[in-house]
Amino acid sequence: MSAQTLINLVTGISAGAIRIVDLTQPLHEHTPLLSIPPEFGQSWPFKIEEISKYDDRGPGWYWNNFSCGEHTGTHFDVPIHWVSGKDHEKNATDTVPNEAFIGAACVIDAVADCQANPDFLVSRDYLMQWESKNGTIPAGAWVLFRTDWSKKYDSDEFLNNREDGGHTPGWEPDAIRFLADERNVKGAGVETVGTDAGQSFIQDPQFPCHNLMHGANKYGLAALCNLDQLPATGAVVIAAPLKIENGSGSPCRAFALVPA
Ligand code: MN
C-alpha cells in the first residue's frame, strides 16, 4: 500500500467525499440500563458530578467526575465479558488486538421486520438472503443489525420491558454461528441495549450473541445509532474501548466513514 492511500483518505474527508457518521448515543443520567434479575450484581447507571466550572472550586477550568458500568450506553464488548470467551488470549479491553478497532460494515436492514415484531430474530437464512443481494460478508467485517431501535432511546420502548422481561430484537443462534464460524466476522453491532434479544434468556444457548460470538473470540457493539445513514456495504466502522486493565467492555465513541 502506498502512503497516498492514507493521504487520499484524509483529503477525501476534508473534501466531503467521505462523510463521518457518528454511531454513538449520548451518555447522561437517563442512559437506558439493561435490567437483570435482582439476585445478580447490578451495573451502575451513568452519573456525572461537576468538580469545578470557572468558579471558586477551580477558577480557570471546567471538569467533571463520572461513573458507570462498563456496559453503559454505546459500548464495546470484548470476549472476556462472557464465560465462553474467558480463556482466549488478548480477550480484555487492554489486550484486544488493534485490528479489532476498524472493520468494514455490513448493514442488515431489518427495520420492517422489527416494527412488525419487537422479538424479531435474525436467522441464518435472513443473512443468506442479505448476501444474495449484497455479496458475501467479508472476513473481519462488523455486521450491524439495523432495527431503528436507537430512535426509541429516550422512551420506555427502547428497553420495552414487560412482566416477562425485555422485548427487543436479536439473533438466532445459527445466525451467530454462521457469522462467527463461516464468515469470520469481527463481531456484531446492534442498536439495542445489549447485543442479544430481550428474550434471549429463553434461547438455547441463552444469550447466543454473547455466548457464541465471545466464545469465538469476537466482539460486540451495543446501543449504536444512525445506522440508517449507512449503506448496506461500503462503510468502515471505527470503534475502540477504553484501555481498562482486564476490562470486559467499555463505553466507546463509534463512528463510520461513508462514501458521500
Ligand atoms: Mn455489553
Side-chain angles (χ1 to χ4, degrees):
M1 191 196 82
S2 74
Q4 192 61 40
T5 305
L6 289 177
I7 292 167
N8 290 346
L9 172 67
V10 291
T11 54
I13 291 169
S14 56
I18 298 169
R19 271 191 316 130
I20 300 176
V21 175
D22 192 356
L23 306 180
T24 318
Q25 296 277 18
L27 281 169
H28 50 60
E29 294 190 359
H30 302 291
T31 292
L33 278 187
L34 188 67
S35 45
I36 71 164
E39 63 266 32
F40 299 121
Q42 303 292 320
S43 178
W44 291 350
F46 184 81
K47 182 185 166 196
I48 190 161
E49 205 171 78
E50 201 173 275
I51 305 171
S52 72
K53 196 169 190 181
Y54 333 119
D55 51 26
D56 54 6
R57 299 169 300 171
W61 50 92
Y62 167 56
W63 56 345
N64 301 295
N65 288 314
F66 72 87
S67 57
C68 63
E70 288 175 328
H71 299 258
T72 304
T74 302
H75 70 272
F76 199 116
D77 285 358
V78 294
I80 201 174
H81 181 38
W82 222 250
V83 64
S84 53
K86 74 181 174 58
D87 294 325
H88 289 300
E89 286 180 21
K90 300 182 178 177
N91 61 356
T93 41
D94 58 328
T95 56
V96 287
N98 295 342
E99 290 70 26
F101 306 152
I102 304 182
C106 292
V107 182
I108 314 296
D109 182 347
V111 171
D113 296 289
C114 296
Q115 275 171 355
N117 173 17
D119 297 309
F120 177 76
L121 301 176
V122 174
S123 65
R124 180 195 170 95
D125 271 357
Y126 202 85
L127 295 170
M128 305 277 288
Q129 281 173 34
W130 184 92
E131 284 196 334
S132 71
K133 278 185 230 144
N134 299 288
T136 302
I137 295 168
W142 272 115
V143 175
L144 305 181
F145 182 23
R146 183 185 159 203
T147 59
D148 280 1
W149 224 257
S150 56
K151 297 175 182 177
K152 307 171 189 280
Y153 197 65
D154 294 319
S155 82
D156 290 343
E157 282 176 60
F158 182 73
L159 297 174
N160 208 22
N161 283 327
R162 299 183 205 152
E163 276 179 19
D164 61 349
H167 288 267
T168 56
W171 311 86
E172 288 186 359
D174 271 347
I176 300 298
R177 289 189 189 102
F178 173 72
L179 292 174
D181 303 339
E182 294 175 50
R183 292 295 178 265
N184 194 23
V185 299
K186 187 164 271 79
V190 304
E191 296 182 47
T192 44
V193 70
T195 55
D196 269 302
Q199 292 288 299
S200 56
F201 59 92
I202 58 172
Q203 289 183 275
D204 182 19
Q206 285 188 311
F207 315 108
C209 189
H210 286 86
N211 185 324
L212 302 170
M213 274 295 184
H214 298 326
N217 204 19
K218 299 184 181 305
Y219 313 111
L221 285 168
L224 297 170
C225 60
N226 294 329
L227 297 187
D228 57 351
Q229 296 182 38
L230 304 189
T233 63
V236 171
V237 174
I238 302 178
L242 296 177
K243 205 164 182 171
I244 301 168
E245 268 192 19
N246 213 31
S248 74
S250 112
C252 67
R253 191 73 179 240
F255 57 96
L257 305 180
V258 182

